[in-house]
Amino acid sequence: IAPAMEQSSHTDKWVPRTELNAACTTIQPSRAGNRSVNNVAVAPGRISIAITRIAPTDSKAATTVAAPAIAQGMPTVKWRLTSSFPKSLDTLYGGSEVFAKAINEMSDGKFEVKAFAAGEIVPGLQVADAVQNGTVEAGQTAAYYYFGKHPNFVFETGLPFSMNQREYYAWLYFGGGHELINEFYKEYNFRSFVFGGTGCQMGGWFRKEIKSMDDMKGLKFRVGGFAGLILQRLGVVPQQIAGGDIYPALEKGTIDAAEWVGPYDDEKLGFYKIAPHYYYPGWWEACSMYGLYVNIKEWEKLPKEYQAALEAACYEANLDMMAEYDFKNPQALQRLVKNGVRLHAYSTDIMRAAHKAAFELYEEEAAKNPAWKKIYESWKKFREDEILWHRVAERSLSEFLNSNPGGAPGK
């Protein structure tokens, strides 16, 4: 795009940047530190512009929407959002706070969302039920917590040996994944919005080294989602426990090992004090996508302007979470290693055994469950194509950079 020109999505003509600027009205930003780029105000973390239409260059007419205009004459709406996560997990639970703040500011306080941590309204693993039953209007959770209701709940969070974060975003947003998932959610009286992710997670904390699958047999291992069914086939005894309850269970010996997210969150929960062997990768969560569940009736009650604000706030929470984890995890990992944590990669034999068991499970489920097959076939085809593409450029560059991390050749 030429520096002084932008193209409108509503016309094939080019619009001078001066006219584009005139057609834009800034929204109150959610973060400090605004900067101006060519007279268009931008807030770090969110572009603070709302444009509904740019008219052709021979017309000066343009329709604009800005935060004060949205607020004028709009109803006051108050929602409660319950989270599956405790406040101590400030990046995960923090997604709810980022979302609530953005909604409140975009509506000039007319659409108020108040976030509640796990246990303040309902326990962390009852968020879906609370939204479904109308106890709360919205909930932040990980869908795979509810795979006991139906296996399809694993798709939004991500299947073991799935895709990386970017690839999964592509499937959800553009590959039809989220449409299929929300179609399934209708029978539970809620819909979902992508609400952040962690990237590839770590593979868990163990009291002793794990060199083969034989070392894992019989272990009571806290693990989330479908991974438990896969590990169960390999002799592991899976346990599903909410984040805030893992440390006491590990400390008392109720469980032998546990996985959670990654260095930053795991350090805060203190697992390294009991189980110093830290394994990677968390093959069961190549990415871990979180969702904002919204009661369908409450969603339909919202004015379109508030629905748009909610979706925009979800985008912000989504981008914010992944970037924050990528910033915090490297520092946390270095601190953990300095505190005596020992890092280990899962052996190739363990990875292959788990991979084989995972896809056997998926295919068995597809053969007997049409609802699963409908989403699985979409996921499977998209995954194949996406992995082929990422092998060309992304993986080759990543492999080179991992082998050559220094700033100069040979270092």
Side-chain angles (χ1 to χ4, degrees):
I1 297 176
M5 307 290 283
E6 301 255 359
Q7 190 174 27
S8 163
S9 60
H10 297 278
T11 176
D12 293 330
K13 298 181 180 180
W14 290 92
V15 182
R17 186 181 295 277
T18 53
E19 290 190 27
L20 176 66
N21 291 343
C24 302
T25 307
T26 61
I27 297 174
Q28 286 294 322
S30 64
R31 299 166 184 265
N34 298 346
R35 60 186 182 273
S36 178
V37 180
N38 293 329
N39 299 320
V40 179
V42 178
R46 181 171 80 234
I47 298 177
S48 302
I49 302 173
I51 309 173
T52 58
R53 181 176 177 82
I54 300 295
T57 53
D58 57 354
S59 170
K60 300 299 182 182
T63 304
T64 64
V65 179
I70 291 175
Q72 291 174 8
M74 298 300 292
T76 297
V77 175
K78 293 186 178 182
W79 274 19
R80 296 192 303 170
L81 185 165
T82 186
S83 175
S84 286
F85 311 111
K87 289 182 179 179
S88 59
L89 297 175
D90 57 327
T91 306
L92 272 177
Y93 173 76
S96 290
E97 295 181 321
V98 169
F99 168 81
K101 188 172 186 289
I103 283 277
N104 293 343
E105 291 185 352
M106 281 189 282
S107 66
D108 201 24
K110 289 291 189 73
F111 185 6
E112 180 183 347
V113 177
K114 187 174 182 180
F116 294 86
E120 292 183 339
I121 298 179
V122 296
L125 298 182
Q126 294 180 18
V127 169
D129 292 334
V131 178
Q132 180 181 2
N133 299 332
T135 303
V136 294
E137 290 80 11
Q140 175 201 24
T141 192
Y144 68 2
Y145 289 159
Y146 315 105
F147 80 93
K149 295 176 180 290
H150 194 287
N152 282 12
F153 275 95
V154 303
F155 281 108
E156 186 173 35
T157 311
L159 275 69
F161 294 104
S162 185
M163 296 172 260
N164 68 28
Q165 198 82 27
R166 278 178 50 199
E167 292 166 339
Y168 220 74
Y169 282 150
W171 178 61
L172 289 171
Y173 283 131
F174 294 99
H178 223 217
E179 287 86 348
L180 290 169
I181 290 167
N182 273 322
E183 181 182 341
F184 164 72
Y185 283 163
K186 285 180 181 179
E187 63 183 278
Y188 295 92
N189 196 37
F190 54 72
R191 61 164 300 167
S192 182
F193 298 88
V194 181
F195 205 68
T198 65
C200 184
Q201 296 191 1
M202 291 292 283
W205 297 88
F206 297 82
R207 289 186 170 89
K208 61 180 183 180
E209 286 191 53
I210 304 296
K211 297 180 180 179
S212 69
M213 280 308 308
D214 288 338
D215 294 328
M216 295 191 73
K217 288 180 179 178
L219 282 182
K220 291 177 289 184
F221 184 34
R222 187 278 168 195
V223 64
F226 237 37
L229 297 181
I230 296 164
L231 288 168
Q232 195 170 38
R233 292 181 170 217
L234 301 173
V236 178
V237 183
Q239 307 287 313
Q240 182 154 283
I241 303 173
D245 299 325
I246 298 173
Y247 185 89
L250 196 60
E251 185 177 38
K252 294 174 183 176
T254 306
I255 57 175
D256 301 309
E259 63 80 36
W260 180 236
V261 176
Y264 180 71
D265 285 338
D266 292 6
E267 179 189 35
K268 291 174 76 69
L269 294 178
F271 303 142
Y272 67 95
K273 299 173 184 176
I274 302 171
H277 296 279
Y278 200 19
Y279 275 78
Y280 64 90
W283 48 263
W284 44 83
E285 294 186 77
C287 67
S288 187
M289 307 294 296
Y290 300 96
L292 180 78
Y293 285 179
V294 174
N295 181 280
I296 288 178
K297 291 181 180 178
E298 297 300 328
W299 167 256
E300 291 174 348
K301 288 179 186 177
L302 291 178
K304 290 183 179 180
E305 293 85 350
Y306 286 0
Q307 290 181 346
L310 185 150
E311 292 190 70
C314 285
Y315 274 109
E316 177 164 0
N318 193 27
L319 292 171
D320 184 275
M321 188 181 294
M322 186 69 258
E324 190 168 356
Y325 271 122
D326 279 342
F327 171 70
K328 291 179 174 178
N329 277 330
Q331 303 166 54
L333 184 60
Q334 292 179 48
R335 291 192 299 268
L336 287 168
V337 171
K338 287 179 181 178
N339 282 325
V341 169
R342 299 182 62 183
L343 291 173
H344 307 274
Y346 279 121
S347 69
T348 301
D349 288 343
I350 290 176
M351 295 292 288
R352 285 176 176 166
H355 184 270
K356 180 174 182 292
F359 279 86
E360 286 176 350
L361 177 62
Y362 303 158
E363 294 296 333
E364 289 171 13
E365 193 66 34
K368 65 183 182 182
N369 185 342
W372 165 275
K373 184 177 181 180
K374 183 176 183 179
I375 303 178
Y376 174 64
E377 291 296 331
S378 168
W379 173 90
K380 182 180 177 181
K381 178 62 168 63
F382 193 92
R383 177 182 178 274
E384 291 172 355
D385 292 342
E386 202 72 6
I387 287 176
L388 282 174
W389 154 235
H390 275 247
R391 284 171 60 183
V392 175
E394 294 285 344
R395 192 176 78 175
S396 59
L397 179 59
S398 294
E399 289 175 351
F400 176 82
L401 293 175
N402 289 334
S403 302
N404 299 272
K411 292 187 177 180

